[in-house]
Amino acid sequence: MAVAFVASIVFLVKADADVDNAAYGYLALFLWFGIAAAIPVLLALGLPAIVMKRRVRQQERLGHDAVYRGFKADEL
């Protein structure tokens, strides 16, 4: 996303410099729409991954049996 943002700025500067290169401005707008569309997708993938990573680290810290608190076969 950072590369797309920098490229869009470069395209805007190039489009502003000469009228014959005005199509680069539209390409910059297309990149901005792509960035805006990618933000929710990346959040939808990243937030659950952070939660799962935190749970796995907590499980490793407490030990394998500490997370499951249900009945065991010999307790019934």
Side-chain angles (χ1 to χ4, degrees):
M1 286 181 57
V3 173
F5 181 73
V6 171
S8 70
I9 298 298
V10 170
F11 288 150
L12 282 178
V13 169
K14 192 169 185 175
D16 191 42
D18 189 14
V19 176
D20 293 334
N21 293 330
Y24 286 114
Y26 291 108
L27 185 57
L29 287 175
F30 179 75
L31 285 175
W32 286 352
F33 284 123
I35 291 169
I39 288 172
V41 173
L42 292 175
L43 285 174
L45 294 174
L47 293 177
I50 291 171
V51 171
M52 282 191 272
K53 191 175 190 180
R54 185 178 297 160
R55 287 181 184 172
V56 167
R57 287 184 178 172
Q58 180 183 13
Q59 184 178 1
E60 288 174 351
R61 185 175 51 238
L62 296 175
H64 179 68
D65 292 333
V67 176
Y68 180 71
R69 302 263 188 235
F71 291 109
K72 294 184 179 176
D74 58 349
E75 292 179 354
L76 294 176

Coordinates of all heavy atoms in Angstrom, one line a residue:
M1 N 0.8 -1.2 0.0 CA 0.0 0.0 0.0 C 0.9 1.3 0.0 O 0.5 2.3 -0.6 CB -0.9 0.0 1.2 CG -2.1 -1.0 1.1 SD -3.2 -1.1 2.4 CE -3.8 0.6 2.5
A2 N 2.0 1.2 0.7 CA 2.9 2.3 0.7 C 3.5 2.6 -0.7 O 3.6 3.8 -1.1 CB 4.0 2.1 1.7
V3 N 3.8 1.5 -1.4 CA 4.3 1.7 -2.7 C 3.3 2.3 -3.6 O 3.6 3.2 -4.5 CB 4.8 0.3 -3.2 CG1 5.2 0.4 -4.7 CG2 6.0 -0.2 -2.4
A4 N 2.0 1.8 -3.5 CA 1.0 2.4 -4.3 C 0.7 3.8 -4.0 O 0.5 4.6 -4.9 CB -0.3 1.5 -4.1
F5 N 0.8 4.2 -2.8 CA 0.6 5.6 -2.4 C 1.7 6.5 -3.0 O 1.4 7.5 -3.6 CB 0.5 5.8 -0.9 CG 0.3 7.2 -0.5 CD1 -0.9 7.8 -0.6 CD2 1.4 7.9 0.1 CE1 -1.1 9.1 -0.2 CE2 1.2 9.2 0.5 CZ -0.1 9.8 0.3
V6 N 3.0 6.0 -2.9 CA 4.1 6.8 -3.4 C 4.0 6.9 -4.9 O 4.2 7.9 -5.5 CB 5.4 6.2 -3.0 CG1 6.6 6.8 -3.7 CG2 5.6 6.4 -1.5
A7 N 3.6 5.8 -5.6 CA 3.5 5.8 -7.0 C 2.3 6.7 -7.5 O 2.5 7.4 -8.5 CB 3.2 4.4 -7.5
S8 N 1.3 6.8 -6.7 CA 0.2 7.7 -7.1 C 0.6 9.2 -6.9 O 0.2 10.0 -7.8 CB -1.1 7.4 -6.2 OG -0.8 7.9 -4.9
I9 N 1.4 9.5 -5.9 CA 1.9 10.8 -5.8 C 2.8 11.2 -7.0 O 2.8 12.3 -7.6 CB 2.7 11.0 -4.5 CG1 1.7 10.8 -3.3 CG2 3.4 12.4 -4.4 CD1 0.6 11.8 -3.2
V10 N 3.7 10.2 -7.4 CA 4.6 10.4 -8.6 C 3.7 10.6 -9.8 O 4.0 11.5 -10.6 CB 5.5 9.2 -8.7 CG1 6.3 9.3 -10.0 CG2 6.5 9.2 -7.5
F11 N 2.7 9.8 -10.0 CA 1.8 10.0 -11.1 C 1.1 11.3 -11.2 O 1.0 11.9 -12.2 CB 0.8 8.9 -11.2 CG 1.3 7.5 -11.6 CD1 0.7 6.4 -11.1 CD2 2.4 7.4 -12.4 CE1 1.2 5.1 -11.4 CE2 2.9 6.1 -12.7 CZ 2.3 5.0 -12.3
L12 N 0.7 11.8 -10.0 CA 0.1 13.1 -9.9 C 1.0 14.2 -10.3 O 0.7 15.2 -11.0 CB -0.5 13.4 -8.5 CG -1.8 12.7 -8.2 CD1 -2.3 13.0 -6.8 CD2 -2.9 13.1 -9.2
V13 N 2.2 14.1 -9.8 CA 3.3 15.1 -10.2 C 3.5 15.1 -11.7 O 3.6 16.2 -12.3 CB 4.5 14.9 -9.3 CG1 5.7 15.8 -9.8 CG2 4.3 15.2 -7.9
K14 N 3.7 13.9 -12.2 CA 3.9 13.8 -13.6 C 2.7 14.3 -14.5 O 2.9 15.0 -15.5 CB 4.2 12.3 -14.0 CG 4.8 12.1 -15.3 CD 5.3 10.7 -15.5 CE 6.0 10.6 -16.9 NZ 6.6 9.3 -17.1
A15 N 1.5 14.1 -14.0 CA 0.3 14.5 -14.7 C 0.2 16.0 -14.6 O -0.3 16.7 -15.6 CB -0.9 13.9 -14.2
D16 N 0.6 16.6 -13.5 CA 0.5 18.1 -13.4 C 1.6 18.8 -14.1 O 1.4 20.0 -14.5 CB 0.6 18.4 -11.9 CG 0.3 19.8 -11.6 OD1 -0.7 20.3 -12.2 OD2 1.0 20.5 -10.8
A17 N 2.7 18.1 -14.4 CA 3.8 18.8 -15.1 C 3.5 19.1 -16.6 O 4.0 20.1 -17.2 CB 5.0 17.9 -15.0
D18 N 2.7 18.2 -17.2 CA 2.5 18.3 -18.7 C 1.1 17.9 -19.0 O 0.6 16.9 -18.5 CB 3.5 17.5 -19.4 CG 3.5 17.7 -20.9 OD1 2.9 18.7 -21.3 OD2 4.0 16.9 -21.7
V19 N 0.4 18.6 -19.9 CA -1.0 18.3 -20.3 C -1.0 17.0 -21.0 O -2.0 16.2 -20.9 CB -1.6 19.4 -21.1 CG1 -3.0 19.1 -21.6 CG2 -1.6 20.7 -20.3
D20 N 0.0 16.6 -21.7 CA 0.0 15.4 -22.5 C 0.0 14.2 -21.6 O -0.3 13.1 -22.1 CB 1.2 15.4 -23.5 CG 1.1 16.4 -24.6 OD1 0.0 16.8 -24.9 OD2 2.1 16.9 -25.1
N21 N 0.5 14.3 -20.4 CA 0.5 13.2 -19.4 C -0.6 13.2 -18.4 O -0.5 12.7 -17.3 CB 1.8 13.2 -18.6 CG 3.0 13.0 -19.5 OD1 3.0 12.3 -20.5 ND2 4.2 13.6 -19.2
A22 N -1.8 13.7 -18.8 CA -2.9 13.8 -17.9 C -3.5 12.5 -17.5 O -4.1 12.3 -16.5 CB -4.0 14.7 -18.6
A23 N -3.2 11.5 -18.3 CA -3.8 10.1 -18.0 C -3.1 9.6 -16.8 O -3.8 8.7 -16.1 CB -3.5 9.2 -19.2
Y24 N -2.0 10.0 -16.4 CA -1.3 9.6 -15.2 C -2.1 10.0 -13.9 O -2.1 9.3 -12.9 CB 0.1 10.1 -15.0 CG 1.1 9.4 -16.0 CD1 1.7 10.1 -17.0 CD2 1.4 8.1 -15.8 CE1 2.6 9.5 -17.9 CE2 2.3 7.4 -16.6 CZ 2.8 8.1 -17.7 OH 3.7 7.5 -18.5
G25 N -2.9 11.1 -14.0 CA -3.7 11.5 -12.9 C -4.9 10.5 -12.7 O -5.2 10.2 -11.6
Y26 N -5.4 10.0 -13.8 CA -6.5 9.0 -13.6 C -5.9 7.7 -13.1 O -6.6 7.0 -12.3 CB -7.1 8.7 -15.0 CG -8.0 9.9 -15.5 CD1 -7.5 10.7 -16.5 CD2 -9.1 10.2 -14.8 CE1 -8.3 11.7 -17.0 CE2 -9.9 11.3 -15.3 CZ -9.5 12.1 -16.3 OH -10.2 13.1 -16.7
L27 N -4.7 7.4 -13.4 CA -4.0 6.2 -12.9 C -3.8 6.4 -11.4 O -4.0 5.5 -10.6 CB -2.7 5.9 -13.6 CG -2.0 4.7 -13.2 CD1 -2.9 3.4 -13.4 CD2 -0.7 4.5 -14.0
A28 N -3.4 7.6 -11.0 CA -3.3 7.9 -9.5 C -4.6 7.7 -8.8 O -4.6 7.2 -7.7 CB -2.7 9.3 -9.3
L29 N -5.7 8.2 -9.4 CA -7.0 8.1 -8.7 C -7.4 6.6 -8.6 O -8.0 6.1 -7.6 CB -8.1 8.8 -9.5 CG -8.0 10.3 -9.4 CD1 -9.0 10.9 -10.4 CD2 -8.3 10.7 -8.0
F30 N -7.1 5.8 -9.7 CA -7.3 4.4 -9.6 C -6.6 3.7 -8.5 O -7.1 2.8 -7.8 CB -7.0 3.8 -11.0 CG -7.2 2.3 -11.1 CD1 -8.4 1.7 -11.2 CD2 -6.1 1.4 -11.0 CE1 -8.6 0.4 -11.3 CE2 -6.3 0.1 -11.1 CZ -7.5 -0.5 -11.2
L31 N -5.3 4.1 -8.3 CA -4.5 3.6 -7.2 C -5.1 3.9 -5.9 O -5.2 3.1 -4.9 CB -3.1 4.0 -7.3 CG -2.2 3.4 -8.4 CD1 -0.9 4.0 -8.4 CD2 -2.1 1.9 -8.1
W32 N -5.7 5.2 -5.7 CA -6.3 5.6 -4.5 C -7.5 4.8 -4.2 O -7.8 4.4 -3.0 CB -6.6 7.1 -4.5 CG -5.4 8.0 -4.4 CD1 -4.1 7.6 -4.1 CD2 -5.4 9.4 -4.5 NE1 -3.3 8.7 -4.0 CE2 -4.1 9.8 -4.3 CE3 -6.4 10.3 -4.8 CZ2 -3.7 11.1 -4.4 CZ3 -6.0 11.6 -4.9 CH2 -4.7 12.0 -4.6
F33 N -8.3 4.5 -5.2 CA -9.5 3.6 -5.0 C -9.1 2.2 -4.6 O -9.7 1.6 -3.8 CB -10.4 3.6 -6.3 CG -11.2 4.8 -6.5 CD1 -11.1 5.5 -7.6 CD2 -12.1 5.3 -5.5 CE1 -11.8 6.7 -7.8 CE2 -12.8 6.4 -5.7 CZ -12.7 7.1 -6.9
G34 N -8.0 1.7 -5.2 CA -7.5 0.4 -4.8 C -7.0 0.4 -3.3 O -7.3 -0.6 -2.6
I35 N -6.4 1.4 -2.9 CA -5.9 1.5 -1.5 C -7.1 1.6 -0.6 O -7.2 0.9 0.4 CB -5.0 2.8 -1.3 CG1 -3.7 2.6 -2.0 CG2 -4.8 3.0 0.1 CD1 -2.8 3.8 -2.1
A36 N -8.1 2.4 -1.0 CA -9.3 2.5 -0.1 C -10.1 1.2 0.0 O -10.7 0.9 1.0 CB -10.2 3.6 -0.7
A37 N -10.1 0.4 -1.1 CA -10.8 -0.9 -1.1 C -10.0 -1.9 -0.3 O -10.5 -2.9 0.2 CB -11.0 -1.4 -2.5
A38 N -8.6 -1.8 -0.3 CA -7.8 -2.8 0.4 C -7.8 -2.6 1.9 O -7.5 -3.6 2.6 CB -6.4 -2.7 -0.2
I39 N -8.0 -1.4 2.4 CA -8.0 -1.2 3.8 C -9.0 -2.1 4.6 O -8.5 -2.8 5.6 CB -8.2 0.3 4.2 CG1 -6.9 1.1 3.7 CG2 -8.4 0.5 5.6 CD1 -7.1 2.6 3.8
P40 N -10.2 -2.2 4.2 CA -11.1 -3.1 5.0 C -10.8 -4.5 4.9 O -10.9 -5.3 5.8 CB -12.5 -2.8 4.4 CG -12.4 -1.5 3.7 CD -11.0 -1.4 3.3
V41 N -10.3 -4.9 3.7 CA -9.9 -6.3 3.6 C -8.7 -6.7 4.5 O -8.7 -7.7 5.1 CB -9.5 -6.6 2.1 CG1 -8.9 -8.0 1.9 CG2 -10.7 -6.4 1.2
L42 N -7.7 -5.8 4.5 CA -6.6 -6.0 5.4 C -6.9 -6.0 6.9 O -6.4 -6.8 7.7 CB -5.5 -5.0 5.1 CG -4.8 -5.1 3.7 CD1 -3.8 -4.0 3.5 CD2 -4.1 -6.4 3.6
L43 N -7.9 -5.1 7.2 CA -8.3 -5.1 8.6 C -9.1 -6.4 9.0 O -8.9 -7.0 10.0 CB -9.2 -3.9 8.9 CG -8.5 -2.6 9.0 CD1 -9.5 -1.4 9.1 CD2 -7.6 -2.6 10.2
A44 N -9.9 -6.9 8.0 CA -10.7 -8.1 8.2 C -9.8 -9.3 8.4 O -10.1 -10.3 9.0 CB -11.7 -8.3 7.1
L45 N -8.7 -9.3 7.7 CA -7.7 -10.4 7.9 C -6.8 -10.2 9.0 O -6.4 -11.2 9.7 CB -6.9 -10.5 6.6 CG -7.6 -10.9 5.3 CD1 -6.7 -10.9 4.1 CD2 -8.2 -12.3 5.5
G46 N -6.4 -9.0 9.3 CA -5.4 -8.8 10.4 C -5.9 -8.8 11.8 O -5.2 -9.4 12.7
L47 N -7.1 -8.3 12.0 CA -7.6 -8.3 13.4 C -7.8 -9.7 14.0 O -7.4 -10.0 15.1 CB -8.8 -7.4 13.5 CG -8.6 -5.9 13.3 CD1 -9.9 -5.2 13.3 CD2 -7.6 -5.4 14.3
P48 N -8.5 -10.6 13.2 CA -8.6 -12.0 13.8 C -7.3 -12.7 13.9 O -7.1 -13.5 14.9 CB -9.5 -12.7 12.7 CG -10.2 -11.6 12.0 CD -9.3 -10.4 12.0
A49 N -6.3 -12.4 13.1 CA -5.0 -13.0 13.2 C -4.3 -12.5 14.5 O -3.7 -13.3 15.2 CB -4.1 -12.6 12.0
I50 N -4.5 -11.3 14.9 CA -3.9 -10.7 16.1 C -4.5 -11.4 17.3 O -3.9 -11.8 18.3 CB -4.1 -9.2 16.2 CG1 -3.2 -8.5 15.1 CG2 -3.7 -8.7 17.6 CD1 -3.4 -7.1 15.0
V51 N -5.9 -11.6 17.3 CA -6.6 -12.2 18.4 C -6.1 -13.7 18.5 O -5.9 -14.1 19.6 CB -8.1 -12.1 18.2 CG1 -8.8 -13.0 19.2 CG2 -8.6 -10.7 18.3
M52 N -6.0 -14.4 17.4 CA -5.6 -15.8 17.5 C -4.2 -15.9 18.0 O -3.8 -16.8 18.8 CB -5.7 -16.4 16.1 CG -7.1 -16.9 15.8 SD -7.2 -17.9 14.3 CE -7.3 -16.6 13.0
K53 N -3.3 -15.0 17.5 CA -1.9 -15.0 18.0 C -1.8 -14.8 19.5 O -1.1 -15.5 20.2 CB -1.1 -14.0 17.2 CG 0.4 -14.0 17.4 CD 1.0 -13.0 16.5 CE 2.5 -13.2 16.4 NZ 3.1 -12.2 15.6
R54 N -2.6 -13.9 20.0 CA -2.7 -13.6 21.4 C -3.1 -14.8 22.2 O -2.6 -15.2 23.3 CB -3.5 -12.4 21.7 CG -3.5 -12.0 23.2 CD -4.4 -10.7 23.4 NE -3.8 -9.6 22.7 CZ -4.4 -8.5 22.3 NH1 -5.7 -8.4 22.7 NH2 -3.8 -7.6 21.7
R55 N -4.2 -15.5 21.7 CA -4.7 -16.7 22.4 C -3.7 -17.8 22.4 O -3.5 -18.5 23.4 CB -6.0 -17.2 21.7 CG -7.1 -16.3 22.0 CD -8.4 -16.8 21.3 NE -9.5 -15.9 21.5 CZ -10.7 -16.0 20.9 NH1 -10.9 -17.0 20.1 NH2 -11.6 -15.2 21.2
V56 N -3.0 -18.0 21.3 CA -1.9 -19.1 21.2 C -0.8 -18.8 22.2 O -0.3 -19.7 22.9 CB -1.4 -19.2 19.8 CG1 -0.2 -20.1 19.8 CG2 -2.5 -19.8 18.9
R57 N -0.4 -17.5 22.3 CA 0.7 -17.2 23.2 C 0.2 -17.4 24.7 O 1.0 -17.8 25.5 CB 1.1 -15.8 23.0 CG 2.0 -15.6 21.8 CD 2.5 -14.2 21.6 NE 3.3 -14.1 20.4 CZ 3.8 -13.0 19.9 NH1 3.5 -11.9 20.5 NH2 4.5 -13.0 18.8
Q58 N -1.0 -17.0 25.0 CA -1.6 -17.3 26.3 C -1.6 -18.7 26.6 O -1.3 -19.2 27.7 CB -3.0 -16.6 26.5 CG -3.6 -16.8 27.8 CD -5.0 -16.2 27.9 OE1 -5.6 -16.0 26.9 NE2 -5.5 -16.1 29.1
Q59 N -2.1 -19.5 25.7 CA -2.1 -21.0 25.9 C -0.7 -21.6 26.1 O -0.6 -22.4 27.0 CB -2.8 -21.7 24.7 CG -3.0 -23.1 24.9 CD -3.7 -23.8 23.7 OE1 -4.0 -23.1 22.7 NE2 -3.9 -25.0 23.7
E60 N 0.2 -21.1 25.4 CA 1.6 -21.6 25.6 C 2.2 -21.2 26.9 O 2.9 -21.9 27.6 CB 2.5 -21.1 24.5 CG 2.3 -21.7 23.1 CD 3.1 -21.1 22.0 OE1 3.7 -20.0 22.3 OE2 3.1 -21.6 20.9
R61 N 1.8 -20.0 27.4 CA 2.3 -19.5 28.7 C 1.7 -20.3 29.8 O 2.3 -20.6 30.8 CB 2.0 -18.0 28.8 CG 2.6 -17.4 30.0 CD 2.3 -15.9 30.0 NE 1.0 -15.5 29.8 CZ 0.5 -14.7 28.8 NH1 1.4 -14.2 28.0 NH2 -0.7 -14.4 28.7
L62 N 0.4 -20.6 29.7 CA -0.3 -21.3 30.8 C -0.1 -22.8 30.8 O -0.4 -23.4 31.8 CB -1.8 -20.9 30.8 CG -2.2 -19.5 31.0 CD1 -3.7 -19.3 30.8 CD2 -1.7 -19.0 32.4
G63 N 0.2 -23.3 29.7 CA 0.3 -24.8 29.6 C -0.9 -25.3 28.8 O -1.9 -24.7 28.7
H64 N -0.7 -26.5 28.2 CA -1.8 -27.0 27.3 C -3.1 -27.3 28.0 O -4.2 -27.0 27.5 CB -1.3 -28.2 26.6 CG -2.3 -28.9 25.7 ND1 -2.7 -28.3 24.5 CD2 -3.0 -30.0 25.8 CE1 -3.6 -29.0 23.9 NE2 -3.7 -30.1 24.7
D65 N -3.0 -27.9 29.2 CA -4.3 -28.3 29.9 C -4.9 -27.1 30.7 O -6.1 -27.2 31.1 CB -3.9 -29.4 31.0 CG -3.5 -30.7 30.3 OD1 -4.0 -30.9 29.1 OD2 -2.8 -31.4 30.9
A66 N -4.3 -26.0 30.8 CA -4.8 -24.9 31.6 C -5.9 -24.2 30.9 O -6.8 -23.6 31.5 CB -3.7 -23.9 31.9
V67 N -6.0 -24.3 29.5 CA -7.0 -23.6 28.8 C -8.3 -24.3 28.8 O -9.4 -23.7 29.0 CB -6.5 -23.3 27.3 CG1 -7.6 -22.7 26.5 CG2 -5.3 -22.5 27.3
Y68 N -8.3 -25.6 28.7 CA -9.5 -26.4 28.6 C -10.0 -26.7 30.1 O -9.2 -27.3 30.8 CB -9.3 -27.7 27.9 CG -10.5 -28.6 27.8 CD1 -11.6 -28.2 27.0 CD2 -10.6 -29.7 28.5 CE1 -12.7 -28.9 27.0 CE2 -11.8 -30.5 28.5 CZ -12.8 -30.1 27.7 OH -13.9 -30.8 27.6
R69 N -11.2 -26.3 30.4 CA -11.7 -26.4 31.8 C -12.9 -27.4 31.8 O -13.6 -27.5 32.8 CB -12.1 -25.1 32.3 CG -11.0 -24.0 32.3 CD -10.4 -23.9 33.7 NE -9.5 -22.8 33.7 CZ -8.2 -22.9 34.0 NH1 -7.7 -24.1 34.3 NH2 -7.4 -21.9 34.0
G70 N -13.1 -28.2 30.8 CA -14.2 -29.1 30.8 C -14.0 -30.4 31.6 O -13.0 -30.5 32.2
F71 N -15.0 -31.3 31.5 CA -14.8 -32.6 32.2 C -13.8 -33.5 31.5 O -13.7 -33.5 30.3 CB -16.2 -33.3 32.3 CG -17.2 -32.6 33.1 CD1 -18.3 -31.9 32.6 CD2 -17.0 -32.6 34.5 CE1 -19.2 -31.3 33.4 CE2 -18.0 -32.0 35.3 CZ -19.0 -31.3 34.8
K72 N -13.1 -34.2 32.3 CA -12.2 -35.2 31.7 C -12.9 -36.6 31.8 O -13.9 -36.7 32.6 CB -10.9 -35.3 32.5 CG -10.1 -34.0 32.3 CD -8.8 -34.0 33.0 CE -8.0 -32.8 32.8 NZ -6.8 -32.7 33.5
A73 N -12.5 -37.5 31.1 CA -13.1 -38.8 31.0 C -13.1 -39.6 32.4 O -14.1 -40.2 32.7 CB -12.4 -39.7 30.0
D74 N -12.1 -39.4 33.2 CA -12.1 -40.1 34.5 C -12.9 -39.4 35.6 O -13.1 -40.0 36.7 CB -10.6 -40.3 34.9 CG -9.9 -39.0 35.1 OD1 -10.4 -37.9 34.6 OD2 -8.8 -39.0 35.6
E75 N -13.4 -38.2 35.4 CA -14.1 -37.5 36.4 C -15.6 -37.8 36.3 O -16.4 -37.5 37.2 CB -14.0 -36.0 36.2 CG -12.6 -35.5 36.5 CD -12.4 -34.0 36.3 OE1 -13.4 -33.4 35.8 OE2 -11.4 -33.5 36.6
L76 N -16.1 -38.5 35.2 CA -17.5 -38.8 35.1 C -17.8 -40.0 35.9 O -18.0 -40.6 36.6 CB -17.9 -39.0 33.6 CG -17.7 -37.8 32.7 CD1 -18.0 -38.1 31.3 CD2 -18.7 -36.7 33.2

